[in-house]
Amino acid sequence: MHHSRPVPVPVLMYHVISPAPSVAPYPQLFVPPREFDAQMRWLARHGYHAITLRRAYDNWTEGSPVPARPIVISFDDGYLSQYTRAFPELRALHWPGVLNLEVNFLQPVGGMRPWRVRKLIAARWEIDAHTLTHPDLTRVDDARLWSEVDGSRRALRHDFHVPVDFFCYPSGRYDDRVVAAVRRAGFLGATTTMFGLARPPDFFRLDRVEIDGSDRVRGLAAKLRKLTASAY
Ligand SMILES: [Zn+2]
């Protein structure tokens, strides 16, 4: 049950938890709520326990214990359906999620809204930064890079009084200059869109596992099997 060695952790990546509309430009970003619920139930039945990135980080750096089969369930951007559809399912399992919140998504219409974020925080969700406006950070100038990285952390800390210790690169785009800015802004680590397990020692290039609308339970299980086969 208790590990003192560093445990590699799968970090699942979700976007919209809703059936894909027929004209969606990126239909793979949509996971129907029924599929999401089935995936969470499958994880629970197979002994997985959702944790926050912070808890994984504390295991990696201090050897603090994590539950058996730890997994991070992360949600990008801040779509309303993450609150209305994913949150109830995770709450039923007493599992925290990790929200990579783009500050722009706190908008009045169709977004997450601050009161919803506060409900997630009350349910032990972790709120991480995902910039102000979701640019390709490798293509913006230094001033814009800093305001997107440091400014998003400041805004979320100010609004929600939570640490905001981790960053998520928009569209998985980063380079050495971007990583340096993320470090300088005080983040402890950052997640990418590369397929793999999150693990030490490079906390600023933490791999994830993208789950899309075609995966269903079978695809999720196959991806996890592939990762754990190569983990040790
Ligand atoms: Zn994003």
Side-chain angles (χ1 to χ4, degrees):
M1 176 71 190
H2 288 188
H3 304 261
S4 53
R5 64 189 172 80
V7 183
V9 176
V11 180
L12 304 186
M13 165 179 33
Y14 287 97
H15 289 87
V16 188
I17 308 300
S18 163
S22 50
V23 294
Y26 301 104
Q28 69 275 20
L29 296 182
F30 291 74
V31 173
R34 211 177 44 240
E35 296 295 339
F36 178 79
D37 292 357
Q39 289 171 345
M40 295 303 109
R41 299 290 157 140
W42 183 91
L43 289 172
R45 250 192 348 268
H46 287 79
Y48 285 90
H49 295 89
I51 63 171
T52 58
L53 262 183
R54 178 64 206 223
R55 236 183 125 186
Y57 180 86
D58 288 346
N59 166 262
W60 297 333
T61 57
E62 293 166 17
S64 58
V66 285
R69 295 199 170 206
I71 192 163
V72 174
I73 319 291
S74 76
F75 300 89
D76 284 11
D77 307 325
Y79 298 98
L80 184 56
S81 62
Q82 295 166 349
Y83 181 86
T84 57
R85 310 311 292 264
F87 177 40
E89 177 63 22
L90 291 186
R91 190 173 41 194
L93 293 165
H94 306 286
W95 281 2
V98 167
L99 178 62
N100 296 315
L101 182 57
E102 179 191 330
V103 172
N104 254 5
F105 270 63
L106 292 166
Q107 64 200 341
V109 180
M112 188 54 94
R113 305 301 294 130
W115 68 267
R116 294 195 180 95
V117 177
R118 291 190 187 99
K119 295 267 193 194
L120 298 177
I121 292 167
R124 297 180 302 113
W125 280 48
E126 177 178 289
I127 309 301
D128 292 327
H130 195 42
T131 72
L132 303 171
T133 65
H134 213 278
D136 176 347
L137 292 176
T138 66
R139 302 180 71 103
V140 299
D141 67 24
D142 289 347
R144 173 88 186 280
L145 172 62
W146 186 246
S147 78
E148 292 281 353
V149 170
D150 179 65
S152 61
R153 184 171 195 229
R154 281 179 192 283
L156 296 176
R157 285 169 67 110
H158 176 267
D159 285 359
F160 302 115
H161 309 287
V162 290
V164 193
D165 281 332
F166 297 89
F167 186 81
C168 175
Y169 303 111
S171 309
R173 301 282 299 162
Y174 66 91
D175 56 18
D176 290 345
R177 185 184 66 121
V178 172
V179 171
V182 171
R183 278 181 188 274
R184 192 152 49 91
F187 290 101
L188 300 176
T191 51
T192 71
T193 54
M194 297 293 289
F195 178 77
L197 291 167
R199 59 198 311 172
D202 194 348
F203 301 126
F204 290 86
R205 291 175 185 81
L206 296 171
D207 291 345
R208 290 194 291 171
V209 181
E210 182 165 17
I211 303 299
D212 65 36
S214 66
D215 277 316
R216 317 182 69 135
V217 166
R218 180 195 297 258
L220 167 65
K223 286 177 176 176
L224 290 174
R225 232 178 3 254
K226 189 170 169 187
L227 286 173
T228 46
S230 60
Y232 302 104

